[in-house]
Coordinates of all heavy atoms in Angstrom, one line a residue:
M592 N -25.1 -32.9 -25.3 CA -24.0 -33.4 -25.7 C -23.5 -34.3 -24.4 O -23.5 -33.7 -23.3 CB -22.9 -32.3 -25.8 CG -21.6 -32.6 -26.0 SD -20.2 -31.4 -26.3 CE -21.1 -30.0 -27.2
P593 N -23.1 -35.5 -24.5 CA -22.6 -36.3 -23.4 C -21.4 -35.7 -22.7 O -20.7 -35.0 -23.4 CB -22.3 -37.7 -24.1 CG -23.0 -37.7 -25.3 CD -23.1 -36.3 -25.7
A594 N -21.2 -36.0 -21.5 CA -20.1 -35.5 -20.7 C -18.7 -36.0 -21.3 O -17.8 -35.1 -21.2 CB -20.3 -35.9 -19.3
A595 N -18.7 -37.1 -21.7 CA -17.5 -37.7 -22.3 C -17.0 -36.9 -23.6 O -15.9 -36.6 -23.8 CB -17.6 -39.1 -22.6
E596 N -18.1 -36.6 -24.4 CA -17.8 -35.8 -25.6 C -17.3 -34.3 -25.2 O -16.5 -33.9 -25.9 CB -19.0 -35.7 -26.5 CG -18.8 -35.2 -27.7 CD -20.0 -35.2 -28.7 OE1 -20.8 -36.2 -28.4 OE2 -20.2 -34.2 -29.4
A597 N -18.0 -33.8 -24.3 CA -17.7 -32.3 -23.8 C -16.2 -32.4 -23.3 O -15.4 -31.4 -23.5 CB -18.6 -31.8 -22.8
A598 N -15.8 -33.4 -22.5 CA -14.5 -33.5 -21.9 C -13.4 -33.6 -23.0 O -12.4 -33.0 -22.9 CB -14.3 -34.6 -21.0
A599 N -13.8 -34.4 -24.0 CA -12.8 -34.5 -25.1 C -12.7 -33.3 -26.0 O -11.6 -33.0 -26.4 CB -13.2 -35.7 -26.1
K600 N -13.7 -32.6 -26.1 CA -13.7 -31.3 -26.8 C -12.9 -30.3 -26.2 O -12.1 -29.6 -26.7 CB -15.2 -30.8 -27.1 CG -15.3 -29.6 -28.0 CD -16.8 -29.2 -28.2 CE -16.8 -28.0 -29.0 NZ -18.2 -27.6 -29.3
A601 N -13.1 -30.2 -24.8 CA -12.2 -29.2 -24.0 C -10.8 -29.6 -24.1 O -10.1 -28.7 -24.0 CB -12.8 -29.2 -22.6
A602 N -10.5 -30.9 -23.9 CA -9.2 -31.3 -23.9 C -8.4 -31.1 -25.2 O -7.4 -30.6 -25.3 CB -9.0 -32.8 -23.6
S603 N -9.2 -31.2 -26.3 CA -8.6 -30.9 -27.6 C -8.4 -29.4 -27.8 O -7.5 -29.0 -28.6 CB -9.4 -31.4 -28.8 OG -10.8 -30.7 -28.8
A604 N -9.2 -28.6 -27.2 CA -9.1 -27.1 -27.3 C -8.0 -26.4 -26.3 O -7.7 -25.5 -26.4 CB -10.3 -26.4 -27.1
G605 N -7.5 -27.4 -25.5 CA -6.5 -26.9 -24.6 C -6.9 -26.4 -23.3 O -6.1 -25.8 -22.5
Q606 N -8.2 -26.4 -23.1 CA -8.8 -25.8 -21.9 C -9.1 -26.9 -20.9 O -9.4 -28.0 -21.3 CB -10.0 -25.0 -22.3 CG -9.8 -23.8 -23.1 CD -11.1 -23.2 -23.5 OE1 -12.3 -23.7 -23.3 NE2 -11.1 -22.0 -24.1
V607 N -9.2 -26.5 -19.7 CA -9.5 -27.5 -18.6 C -10.9 -27.2 -18.1 O -11.2 -26.0 -17.8 CB -8.5 -27.3 -17.4 CG1 -8.8 -28.3 -16.4 CG2 -7.0 -27.6 -17.9
E608 N -11.6 -28.3 -17.9 CA -13.0 -28.2 -17.4 C -12.9 -28.0 -15.8 O -12.4 -29.0 -15.2 CB -13.9 -29.2 -17.7 CG -14.4 -29.1 -19.1 CD -15.5 -30.3 -19.2 OE1 -15.6 -31.2 -18.5 OE2 -16.2 -30.2 -20.4
V609 N -13.4 -27.0 -15.2 CA -13.5 -26.8 -13.8 C -14.9 -27.0 -13.4 O -15.8 -26.2 -13.8 CB -12.9 -25.5 -13.4 CG1 -12.9 -25.3 -11.9 CG2 -11.4 -25.4 -13.9
R610 N -15.1 -28.0 -12.4 CA -16.4 -28.2 -11.9 C -16.5 -28.0 -10.4 O -15.6 -28.2 -9.8 CB -16.8 -29.7 -12.3 CG -17.0 -29.8 -13.7 CD -17.6 -31.1 -14.1 NE -17.9 -31.2 -15.6 CZ -18.9 -30.8 -16.1 NH1 -19.8 -30.4 -15.5 NH2 -18.9 -31.0 -17.6
D611 N -17.6 -27.5 -9.9 CA -17.8 -27.2 -8.5 C -18.2 -28.5 -7.8 O -18.1 -29.5 -8.4 CB -18.8 -26.1 -8.3 CG -20.2 -26.5 -8.7 OD1 -20.4 -27.6 -9.2 OD2 -21.1 -25.6 -8.5
S612 N -18.5 -28.4 -6.6 CA -18.7 -29.5 -5.7 C -20.0 -30.4 -6.1 O -20.0 -31.5 -5.8 CB -19.0 -29.0 -4.2 OG -20.1 -28.2 -4.1
V613 N -21.0 -29.7 -6.9 CA -22.1 -30.6 -7.2 C -22.1 -30.9 -8.8 O -23.0 -31.4 -9.3 CB -23.4 -29.8 -6.9 CG1 -23.7 -29.7 -5.4 CG2 -23.5 -28.4 -7.6
G614 N -20.9 -30.6 -9.5 CA -20.7 -30.8 -10.8 C -21.1 -29.8 -11.8 O -20.9 -30.0 -13.0
N615 N -21.4 -28.6 -11.4 CA -21.7 -27.5 -12.4 C -20.3 -27.0 -12.9 O -19.4 -26.9 -12.3 CB -22.4 -26.4 -11.8 CG -23.7 -26.7 -11.1 OD1 -24.5 -27.6 -11.8 ND2 -24.1 -26.1 -10.1
L616 N -20.3 -26.7 -14.2 CA -19.2 -26.2 -14.9 C -19.0 -24.7 -14.5 O -19.9 -24.0 -14.6 CB -19.3 -26.3 -16.4 CG -18.2 -26.0 -17.3 CD1 -17.1 -27.1 -17.0 CD2 -18.6 -26.2 -18.8
L617 N -17.8 -24.4 -14.2 CA -17.4 -23.0 -13.7 C -16.7 -22.3 -15.0 O -16.0 -23.0 -15.8 CB -16.5 -23.0 -12.5 CG -17.2 -23.6 -11.3 CD1 -16.1 -23.6 -10.2 CD2 -18.3 -22.8 -10.8
A618 N -16.8 -21.0 -15.0 CA -16.2 -20.1 -16.1 C -15.7 -18.9 -15.4 O -16.2 -18.6 -14.2 CB -17.2 -19.9 -17.2
D619 N -14.7 -18.2 -16.1 CA -14.2 -16.9 -15.6 C -15.4 -15.9 -15.5 O -16.3 -15.8 -16.2 CB -13.3 -16.2 -16.6 CG -11.9 -16.9 -16.6 OD1 -11.7 -17.5 -15.5 OD2 -11.2 -16.9 -17.6
G620 N -15.4 -15.2 -14.2 CA -16.4 -14.3 -14.0 C -17.6 -14.7 -13.2 O -18.6 -14.0 -12.8
D621 N -17.7 -16.1 -12.9 CA -18.9 -16.6 -12.2 C -18.8 -16.2 -10.7 O -17.7 -15.9 -10.3 CB -18.9 -18.1 -12.3 CG -19.3 -18.7 -13.7 OD1 -20.0 -17.9 -14.3 OD2 -19.1 -20.0 -13.9
S622 N -19.9 -16.2 -10.1 CA -20.1 -16.1 -8.6 C -20.2 -17.5 -8.0 O -21.0 -18.3 -8.5 CB -21.2 -15.2 -8.3 OG -21.0 -13.9 -8.6
V623 N -19.5 -17.7 -6.9 CA -19.7 -19.0 -6.2 C -20.0 -18.8 -4.7 O -19.7 -17.7 -4.2 CB -18.4 -19.9 -6.4 CG1 -18.2 -20.3 -7.8 CG2 -17.2 -19.1 -5.8
V624 N -20.5 -19.8 -4.0 CA -20.8 -19.7 -2.6 C -20.0 -20.9 -2.1 O -19.8 -22.0 -2.4 CB -22.3 -20.0 -2.4 CG1 -22.6 -20.1 -0.9 CG2 -23.1 -19.0 -3.1
L625 N -19.4 -20.5 -0.8 CA -18.7 -21.6 -0.1 C -19.6 -22.7 0.7 O -20.6 -22.2 1.1 CB -17.8 -21.0 1.0 CG -16.7 -20.0 0.5 CD1 -16.0 -19.4 1.8 CD2 -15.8 -20.7 -0.3
V626 N -19.2 -23.9 0.5 CA -20.0 -24.9 1.1 C -19.5 -25.5 2.3 O -20.1 -26.3 3.0 CB -20.2 -26.1 0.2 CG1 -21.0 -25.7 -1.2 CG2 -19.0 -26.7 -0.3
K627 N -18.4 -24.8 2.9 CA -17.7 -25.4 4.1 C -17.0 -24.1 4.6 O -16.5 -23.3 4.0 CB -16.9 -26.4 3.8 CG -16.0 -27.0 4.8 CD -15.1 -28.1 4.4 CE -14.1 -28.6 5.5 NZ -13.3 -29.6 5.1
D628 N -16.8 -24.0 6.1 CA -16.1 -23.0 6.6 C -14.5 -23.4 6.3 O -14.2 -24.4 6.4 CB -16.1 -23.0 8.2 CG -17.5 -22.5 8.5 OD1 -18.3 -22.0 7.9 OD2 -17.8 -22.7 9.8
L629 N -13.9 -22.3 5.9 CA -12.4 -22.4 5.5 C -11.6 -21.6 6.3 O -11.8 -20.3 6.2 CB -12.3 -22.2 4.0 CG -13.1 -23.2 3.0 CD1 -12.8 -22.6 1.6 CD2 -12.5 -24.5 3.1
K630 N -10.6 -22.1 6.8 CA -9.5 -21.2 7.6 C -8.5 -20.8 6.4 O -8.0 -21.6 5.7 CB -8.7 -22.1 8.6 CG -9.7 -22.5 9.8 CD -8.9 -23.2 10.8 CE -9.8 -23.7 11.9 NZ -9.0 -24.6 12.9
V631 N -8.1 -19.5 6.5 CA -7.3 -19.0 5.5 C -6.0 -18.8 6.1 O -5.8 -18.1 7.1 CB -7.8 -17.6 4.9 CG1 -6.9 -17.0 3.9 CG2 -9.3 -17.7 4.4
K632 N -4.9 -19.5 5.6 CA -3.6 -19.5 6.0 C -3.0 -18.2 5.8 O -3.1 -17.6 4.8 CB -2.8 -20.6 5.4 CG -3.1 -22.0 5.7 CD -2.1 -23.0 5.1 CE -2.6 -24.4 5.3 NZ -1.7 -25.3 4.7
G633 N -2.3 -17.5 6.8 CA -1.7 -16.3 6.6 C -2.5 -15.2 6.8 O -2.0 -14.0 6.9
A634 N -3.8 -15.3 6.7 CA -4.6 -14.1 6.9 C -5.3 -14.1 8.4 O -5.9 -13.0 8.6 CB -5.8 -14.2 5.8
G635 N -5.4 -15.2 9.0 CA -5.8 -15.1 10.4 C -7.4 -14.9 10.3 O -8.0 -14.5 11.3
Q636 N -8.2 -15.4 9.2 CA -9.4 -15.3 9.0 C -10.1 -16.6 8.7 O -9.4 -17.4 8.3 CB -9.8 -14.3 7.9 CG -9.9 -12.8 8.2 CD -10.3 -12.2 7.0 OE1 -10.3 -12.6 5.8 NE2 -10.9 -11.0 7.3
T637 N -11.3 -16.7 9.1 CA -12.1 -17.9 8.6 C -13.3 -17.5 7.8 O -14.0 -16.6 8.0 CB -12.7 -18.7 9.8 OG1 -11.7 -19.1 10.6 CG2 -13.5 -20.0 9.3
L638 N -13.3 -17.9 6.5 CA -14.4 -17.7 5.6 C -15.5 -18.6 5.9 O -15.4 -19.9 5.9 CB -14.0 -17.9 4.1 CG -12.9 -17.0 3.6 CD1 -12.6 -17.3 2.2 CD2 -13.4 -15.5 3.7
K639 N -16.7 -18.1 6.2 CA -17.8 -18.9 6.8 C -18.6 -19.5 5.4 O -18.6 -19.0 4.5 CB -18.8 -18.1 7.5 CG -18.1 -17.4 8.8 CD -17.8 -18.5 9.8 CE -17.3 -17.9 11.0 NZ -16.9 -18.8 12.0
R640 N -19.3 -20.6 5.8 CA -20.2 -21.3 4.8 C -21.2 -20.2 4.4 O -21.8 -19.6 5.2 CB -20.8 -22.6 5.5 CG -21.6 -23.4 4.5 CD -22.0 -24.6 5.2 NE -23.5 -24.5 5.2 CZ -24.2 -25.0 6.1 NH1 -23.7 -25.9 7.0 NH2 -25.5 -24.8 6.1
G641 N -21.5 -20.2 3.2 CA -22.5 -19.4 2.6 C -21.9 -18.0 2.1 O -22.7 -17.2 1.5
T642 N -20.6 -17.8 2.2 CA -20.1 -16.6 1.8 C -19.9 -16.6 0.3 O -19.6 -17.6 -0.3 CB -18.6 -16.5 2.3 OG1 -18.6 -16.4 3.8 CG2 -17.8 -15.3 1.9
V643 N -20.3 -15.4 -0.3 CA -20.4 -15.3 -1.8 C -19.1 -14.7 -2.3 O -18.6 -13.8 -1.8 CB -21.5 -14.4 -2.2 CG1 -21.5 -14.3 -3.8 CG2 -22.9 -15.0 -1.8
I644 N -18.4 -15.5 -3.2 CA -17.2 -14.9 -3.9 C -17.6 -14.6 -5.3 O -18.1 -15.4 -6.0 CB -16.2 -16.1 -3.8 CG1 -15.8 -16.5 -2.4 CG2 -14.9 -15.5 -4.6 CD1 -15.2 -15.5 -1.5
R645 N -17.3 -13.4 -5.7 CA -17.6 -12.9 -7.0 C -16.5 -12.8 -8.0 O -15.3 -12.6 -7.4 CB -18.4 -11.4 -7.0 CG -19.7 -11.5 -6.2 CD -20.3 -10.1 -6.2 NE -21.6 -10.2 -5.5 CZ -21.8 -10.2 -4.2 NH1 -20.7 -10.1 -3.4 NH2 -23.0 -10.2 -3.8
S646 N -16.8 -13.0 -9.1 CA -15.7 -12.8 -10.3 C -14.5 -13.7 -10.1 O -13.4 -13.3 -9.9 CB -15.2 -11.3 -10.3 OG -16.3 -10.5 -10.7
I647 N -14.8 -15.0 -10.1 CA -13.6 -15.9 -10.1 C -12.9 -16.0 -11.4 O -13.4 -15.5 -12.4 CB -14.2 -17.3 -9.7 CG1 -15.1 -17.9 -10.8 CG2 -14.9 -17.3 -8.3 CD1 -15.3 -19.4 -10.7
R648 N -11.6 -16.4 -11.3 CA -10.8 -16.7 -12.5 C -10.3 -18.1 -12.5 O -9.9 -18.6 -11.4 CB -9.6 -15.7 -12.6 CG -10.2 -14.2 -12.8 CD -9.0 -13.3 -12.7 NE -8.3 -13.2 -11.6 CZ -8.6 -12.7 -10.4 NH1 -9.7 -12.0 -10.4 NH2 -7.8 -12.7 -9.3
L649 N -10.3 -18.8 -13.5 CA -9.8 -20.1 -13.6 C -8.2 -20.0 -13.8 O -7.7 -19.2 -14.4 CB -10.4 -20.9 -14.9 CG -11.9 -21.0 -14.8 CD1 -12.4 -21.8 -16.1 CD2 -12.4 -21.5 -13.5
T650 N -7.5 -21.0 -13.2 CA -6.2 -21.0 -13.2 C -5.4 -21.9 -14.1 O -4.2 -21.8 -14.3 CB -5.6 -21.4 -11.7 OG1 -6.0 -22.7 -11.4 CG2 -6.1 -20.4 -10.7
G651 N -6.2 -22.8 -14.8 CA -5.6 -23.8 -15.7 C -5.7 -25.1 -15.0 O -5.3 -26.1 -15.6
D652 N -5.7 -25.1 -13.7 CA -5.7 -26.4 -12.8 C -7.1 -26.6 -12.7 O -8.0 -25.9 -12.3 CB -5.0 -26.2 -11.5 CG -4.9 -27.4 -10.6 OD1 -5.4 -28.5 -11.2 OD2 -4.5 -27.4 -9.6
E653 N -7.5 -28.0 -12.9 CA -9.1 -28.3 -12.7 C -9.6 -28.3 -11.4 O -10.7 -28.4 -11.1 CB -9.3 -29.7 -13.3 CG -8.6 -30.9 -12.7 CD -8.7 -32.1 -13.3 OE1 -8.9 -32.2 -14.6 OE2 -8.8 -33.1 -12.8
Q654 N -8.7 -28.1 -10.4 CA -9.3 -28.1 -8.9 C -9.0 -26.7 -8.3 O -9.4 -26.7 -7.1 CB -8.6 -29.1 -8.2 CG -9.1 -30.6 -8.4 CD -10.6 -30.6 -8.0 OE1 -11.1 -30.1 -7.0 NE2 -11.4 -31.1 -9.0
E655 N -8.3 -25.8 -8.9 CA -8.1 -24.5 -8.2 C -8.7 -23.3 -9.0 O -8.8 -23.2 -10.2 CB -6.6 -24.3 -8.1 CG -6.0 -25.2 -7.2 CD -4.4 -25.0 -7.0 OE1 -3.9 -24.2 -7.8 OE2 -3.9 -25.5 -6.2
I656 N -9.3 -22.3 -8.2 CA -9.9 -21.1 -8.8 C -9.2 -19.9 -8.0 O -9.0 -20.0 -6.9 CB -11.4 -21.1 -8.8 CG1 -11.9 -21.1 -7.4 CG2 -11.9 -22.1 -9.6 CD1 -13.3 -21.0 -7.2
D657 N -8.9 -18.9 -8.8 CA -8.4 -17.8 -8.2 C -9.5 -16.7 -8.0 O -10.4 -16.5 -8.7 CB -7.3 -17.1 -9.3 CG -6.5 -15.9 -8.6 OD1 -6.4 -15.9 -7.4 OD2 -6.1 -15.1 -9.4
C658 N -9.4 -16.1 -6.8 CA -10.6 -15.1 -6.5 C -10.0 -14.0 -5.6 O -8.9 -14.0 -5.0 CB -11.7 -15.8 -5.9 SG -11.2 -16.9 -4.6
R659 N -10.9 -13.0 -5.4 CA -10.6 -11.9 -4.5 C -11.7 -11.9 -3.3 O -12.8 -12.0 -3.7 CB -10.6 -10.6 -5.3 CG -9.6 -10.4 -6.3 CD -9.8 -9.2 -7.1 NE -8.7 -8.4 -6.9 CZ -8.5 -7.2 -7.6 NH1 -9.4 -6.7 -8.2 NH2 -7.3 -6.5 -7.4
Y660 N -11.2 -11.5 -2.3 CA -12.1 -11.2 -1.1 C -11.6 -10.1 -0.3 O -10.3 -9.8 -0.3 CB -12.3 -12.5 -0.2 CG -13.4 -12.4 0.7 CD1 -14.7 -12.4 0.4 CD2 -13.1 -12.4 2.0 CE1 -15.8 -12.4 1.3 CE2 -14.0 -12.2 3.0 CZ -15.4 -12.2 2.6 OH -16.4 -12.2 3.5
E661 N -12.4 -9.4 0.4 CA -12.0 -8.2 1.2 C -10.9 -8.5 2.2 O -11.1 -9.6 3.0 CB -13.2 -7.7 2.0 CG -14.3 -7.0 1.1 CD -15.3 -6.6 2.1 OE1 -15.2 -6.6 3.3 OE2 -16.5 -6.3 1.5
G662 N -9.8 -7.9 2.2 CA -8.7 -8.1 3.1 C -7.7 -9.3 2.8 O -6.8 -9.5 3.5
I663 N -8.0 -10.1 1.8 CA -7.3 -11.2 1.5 C -6.8 -11.1 0.0 O -7.7 -11.2 -1.0 CB -8.0 -12.5 1.7 CG1 -8.6 -12.6 3.0 CG2 -7.1 -13.7 1.4 CD1 -9.5 -13.9 3.3
K664 N -5.5 -11.0 -0.2 CA -5.0 -10.9 -1.5 C -4.6 -12.4 -2.0 O -4.0 -13.2 -1.1 CB -3.7 -9.9 -1.5 CG -4.1 -8.5 -1.4 CD -2.9 -7.7 -1.7 CE -3.3 -6.2 -1.6 NZ -2.1 -5.4 -1.9
G665 N -4.7 -12.6 -3.2 CA -4.1 -13.9 -3.7 C -4.8 -15.2 -3.3 O -4.2 -16.1 -3.0
L666 N -6.1 -15.0 -3.0 CA -6.8 -16.2 -2.5 C -7.1 -17.1 -3.6 O -7.8 -16.8 -4.7 CB -8.3 -15.5 -1.9 CG -9.2 -16.6 -1.4 CD1 -8.6 -17.4 -0.1 CD2 -10.4 -16.0 -1.0
V667 N -6.7 -18.4 -3.3 CA -6.9 -19.4 -4.3 C -7.8 -20.6 -3.6 O -7.3 -21.0 -2.3 CB -5.6 -20.2 -4.8 CG1 -5.9 -21.3 -5.6 CG2 -4.8 -19.1 -5.5
L668 N -9.0 -20.9 -4.1 CA -9.8 -21.9 -3.5 C -9.9 -23.3 -4.3 O -9.7 -23.1 -5.5 CB -11.2 -21.3 -3.3 CG -11.4 -20.1 -2.3 CD1 -12.8 -19.6 -2.6 CD2 -11.1 -20.4 -1.0
R669 N -10.1 -24.2 -3.6 CA -10.3 -25.5 -4.3 C -11.8 -25.6 -4.8 O -12.6 -25.2 -4.1 CB -10.0 -26.7 -3.3 CG -8.7 -26.7 -2.6 CD -7.7 -27.6 -3.4 NE -8.1 -28.9 -3.7 CZ -7.5 -29.7 -4.4 NH1 -6.4 -29.4 -4.9 NH2 -8.1 -30.9 -4.7
A670 N -12.0 -26.1 -6.0 CA -13.3 -26.2 -6.6 C -14.1 -27.2 -5.8 O -15.4 -26.9 -5.8 CB -13.2 -26.7 -7.9
E671 N -13.7 -28.0 -5.0 CA -14.5 -28.9 -4.3 C -15.2 -28.3 -3.0 O -16.1 -28.8 -2.5 CB -13.7 -30.2 -3.8 CG -12.6 -29.7 -2.7 CD -11.7 -30.8 -2.4 OE1 -12.0 -31.7 -1.6 OE2 -10.6 -30.9 -3.0
F672 N -14.8 -27.1 -2.7 CA -15.4 -26.3 -1.6 C -16.4 -25.2 -2.0 O -16.8 -24.4 -1.1 CB -14.4 -25.7 -0.7 CG -13.4 -26.8 -0.1 CD1 -12.1 -26.7 -0.3 CD2 -13.9 -27.8 0.7 CE1 -11.2 -27.6 0.2 CE2 -13.1 -28.8 1.1 CZ -11.7 -28.7 0.9
V673 N -16.6 -25.1 -3.2 CA -17.5 -24.0 -3.7 C -18.7 -24.7 -4.6 O -18.6 -25.7 -5.1 CB -16.9 -23.1 -4.6 CG1 -15.7 -22.3 -3.7 CG2 -16.3 -23.6 -5.8
K674 N -19.7 -23.8 -4.6 CA -21.0 -24.2 -5.5 C -21.3 -22.9 -6.3 O -21.3 -21.8 -5.7 CB -22.1 -24.6 -4.4 CG -23.4 -25.0 -5.2 CD -24.4 -25.4 -4.3 CE -25.0 -24.2 -3.6 NZ -26.2 -24.5 -2.8
K675 N -21.6 -23.2 -7.5 CA -22.0 -22.1 -8.4 C -23.3 -21.4 -8.0 O -24.2 -22.0 -7.5 CB -22.3 -22.6 -9.8 CG -22.3 -21.5 -10.9 CD -22.3 -22.1 -12.3 CE -22.3 -21.0 -13.3 NZ -22.3 -21.5 -14.6
N676 N -23.2 -20.0 -8.0 CA -24.3 -19.3 -7.4 C -25.2 -19.0 -8.5 O -25.0 -18.6 -9.5 CB -23.7 -18.0 -6.7 CG -24.8 -17.2 -6.0 OD1 -25.9 -17.8 -5.8 ND2 -24.5 -16.0 -5.6

């Protein structure tokens, strides 16, 4: 199925397609790997490149994913900084 047709089908279903930094389609429950070191505001931590984040949840925004990580509650990452594992 061509990408344009898939996008039209997702838009008609009311779902947003979320794609990672290399263009892979993300879904709820996927595991992702960080492709860049990220400073986490308010937590005083830096998540290093290569860190695996498990069980992501889509937020309805095509560029944001909700996830959990040790010691950080309510972590929201931009899809451009992750790659599907």
Side-chain angles (χ1 to χ4, degrees):
M592 175 181 330
E596 185 178 328
K600 185 177 179 181
S603 67
Q606 296 178 349
V607 177
E608 280 190 349
V609 179
R610 297 196 175 264
D611 66 0
S612 62
V613 293
N615 296 324
L616 191 62
L617 296 175
D619 285 336
D621 284 346
S622 293
V623 294
V624 177
L625 295 178
V626 296
K627 179 181 176 182
D628 289 351
L629 298 174
K630 294 179 184 176
V631 181
K632 293 181 181 178
Q636 278 187 334
T637 300
L638 295 176
K639 299 292 182 180
R640 190 176 107 202
T642 301
V643 177
I644 306 290
R645 293 180 178 85
S646 299
I647 66 168
R648 289 178 304 281
L649 303 180
T650 62
D652 182 3
E653 64 186 29
Q654 282 299 313
E655 293 182 348
I656 55 173
D657 188 29
C658 51
R659 295 176 122 175
Y660 189 72
E661 293 178 13
I663 303 173
K664 289 186 175 182
L666 181 62
V667 177
L668 296 174
R669 303 262 313 167
E671 64 189 283
F672 299 124
V673 299
K674 179 176 75 170
K675 191 171 184 176
N676 193 5

